[in-house]
Amino acid sequence: MTLAATAPQGFLSPTGVEIAFVLVGIATLGAALITVTTKQLVHAALWLVVALGGLAVEYLLLTAEFIAWVQVLIYVGSVVVLLLFGLMLTKAPIGRSPDADSGNRWVALAVATASAGALVWVVVDAFRTQWIDLDGAAQGSTEVTGTILFRHWVLPFEALSVLLLAALVGAIVLSRKNGENGDNETAGSATPDKEQR
């Protein structure tokens, strides 16, 4: 009994954290699939919240608390809110939208599969010889993440912020153009009535 208790965990005897990790991963994958297959844009944005929240839970299970809270604050709290504001400002249809499906599902599936395979291959190839320093600072800690982010990833971080700003400005410009066209049409329709009187 003592030998069984001290035996290392193997593939056939997963821990509770590993089981939770797999279950949350399956739920996250399901939410992501619904996000890209639904024809209702608002529902797609809400399912995206579920998928991004699932990723935050995965980070928590990997003991990367700082990354998990950044995921919640930036992606769930900012990006999805930005998407919903974009949907509202551009007057996107609330119900089912036939324009949400271009009919290229098989091409999209092939591209997504090829991209996922390439990403897995790059990650496996890049980290094959990497070892985690257990004596150093925790990999998910604020110190390590901040050092890596502001030393090696400053340009992509700033590019992402500019991209999000451009999306917000574009949504505002599109909504203003629609509003001005509506005002001109009402003004144009009101003018002949005055002339007839």
Side-chain angles (χ1 to χ4, degrees), residues 103-118:
N104 296 325
R105 289 185 179 213
W106 294 110
V107 176
L109 181 63
V111 170
T113 305
S115 300

Side-chain angles (χ1 to χ4, degrees), residues 28-48:
T28 303
L29 180 62
L33 288 174
I34 294 173
T35 300
V36 298
T37 55
T38 185
K39 291 189 177 181
Q40 297 190 6
L41 297 177
V42 176
H43 288 183
L46 295 176
W47 278 109
L48 182 61

Side-chain angles (χ1 to χ4, degrees), residues 27-181:
T28 303
L29 180 62
L33 288 174
I34 294 173
T35 300
V36 298
T37 55
T38 185
K39 291 189 177 181
Q40 297 190 6
L41 297 177
V42 176
H43 288 183
L46 295 176
W47 278 109
L48 182 61
V49 171
V50 176
L52 294 174
L55 284 178
V57 173
E58 297 283 55
Y59 288 134
L60 278 176
L61 291 173
L62 292 172
T63 66
E65 293 88 2
F66 177 71
I67 304 292
W69 289 118
V70 167
Q71 171 83 11
V72 170
L73 291 174
I74 293 179
Y75 286 99
V76 177
S78 301
V79 174
V80 175
V81 170
L82 183 65
L83 286 173
L84 290 173
F85 269 108
L87 289 174
M88 288 187 289
L89 289 173
T90 56
K91 298 176 183 169
I94 300 298
R96 291 176 65 84
S97 175
D99 298 336
D101 188 6
S102 66
N104 296 325
R105 289 185 179 213
W106 294 110
V107 176
L109 181 63
V111 170
T113 305
S115 300
L119 285 173
V120 168
W121 180 76
V122 166
V123 168
V124 168
D125 187 55
F127 294 103
R128 183 177 297 151
T129 59
Q130 295 291 324
W131 295 91
I132 297 175
D133 182 16
L134 297 177
D135 296 327
Q139 293 299 309
S141 68
T142 311
E143 179 185 355
V144 172
T145 306
T147 303
I148 292 172
L149 182 63
F150 292 111
R151 184 173 294 166
H152 304 293
W153 296 96
V154 173
L155 186 60
F157 189 74
E158 293 300 323
L160 179 63
S161 64
V162 170
L163 179 67
L164 293 174
L165 178 64
L168 182 60
V169 170
I172 293 171
V173 168
L174 287 174
S175 68
R176 297 282 295 173
K177 283 185 179 178
N178 290 339
E180 289 171 3
N181 290 342

Side-chain angles (χ1 to χ4, degrees), residues 3-19:
L3 291 175
T6 58
Q9 293 289 332
F11 180 73
L12 296 177
S13 58
T15 63
V17 173
E18 292 169 345
I19 294 171

